[in-house]
Amino acid sequence: VVSTQSTESSGINAEYGENKKLTDDAKKEFNEQVRLLVGHIRKKDPRVIAQKEKQREEEERRLAAEKTRVAEQRRKRAEEVVKLAEEAKTMLDGHNEALDDLMGELSETDEEED
């Protein structure tokens, strides 16, 4: 014999579960609608627009500063290369003079031996 009390309680539990599911679905739908509304309002809010503009300007300034910094580094490297090339040329000229002196001494020695 099935008791009527257990049948009633299982029916109540089923109704409760179905009601909870419907309530949860309705809450999710409502929250989604609120999120959409807030997003739309945010796009129109002058404070949000001003903040986005400020962030864009700061990003532009940061990029310009970075570009300037990189250009300065390249300029310094180019100056270093020119300086090193001049030093190398000076050293080479000095070595060429020394080599010319040695060649002159060698030719004088060869002439004296003849």
Side-chain angles (χ1 to χ4, degrees):
V1 177
V2 176
S3 78
T4 57
Q5 187 177 13
S6 67
T7 306
E8 288 176 12
S9 66
S10 66
I12 292 172
N13 285 339
E15 287 177 16
Y16 174 76
E18 186 177 324
N19 188 34
K20 177 152 177 46
K21 183 181 181 313
L22 291 172
T23 304
D24 288 346
D25 289 345
K27 282 182 184 179
K28 286 180 184 177
E29 178 63 29
F30 176 76
N31 287 337
E32 180 61 27
Q33 291 298 319
V34 169
R35 276 190 216 98
L36 290 172
L37 179 62
V38 167
H40 178 71
I41 291 171
R42 228 180 231 163
K43 289 179 187 176
K44 304 293 182 184
D45 189 344
R47 296 169 296 179
V48 173
I49 293 170
Q51 179 64 24
K52 284 184 180 180
E53 179 67 21
K54 182 179 175 184
Q55 288 174 344
R56 186 187 61 76
E57 289 171 357
E58 287 175 2
E59 180 67 11
E60 286 177 358
R61 278 194 295 275
R62 187 190 67 77
L63 290 174
E66 177 70 13
K67 189 175 180 180
T68 302
R69 185 185 65 79
V70 168
E72 181 64 20
Q73 284 179 338
R74 286 183 180 157
R75 185 190 61 75
K76 284 182 180 179
R77 280 191 218 129
E79 286 177 358
E80 263 183 56
V81 167
V82 168
K83 181 180 174 184
L84 289 173
E86 288 173 356
E87 288 176 2
K89 184 179 182 301
T90 302
M91 288 175 60
L92 186 59
D93 288 344
H95 290 302
N96 282 341
E97 286 177 18
L99 185 60
D100 288 343
D101 290 344
L102 288 174
M103 292 297 285
E105 289 176 14
L106 183 61
S107 64
E108 288 175 7
T109 308
D110 285 343
E111 290 175 6
E112 289 176 4
E113 290 180 359
D114 287 334

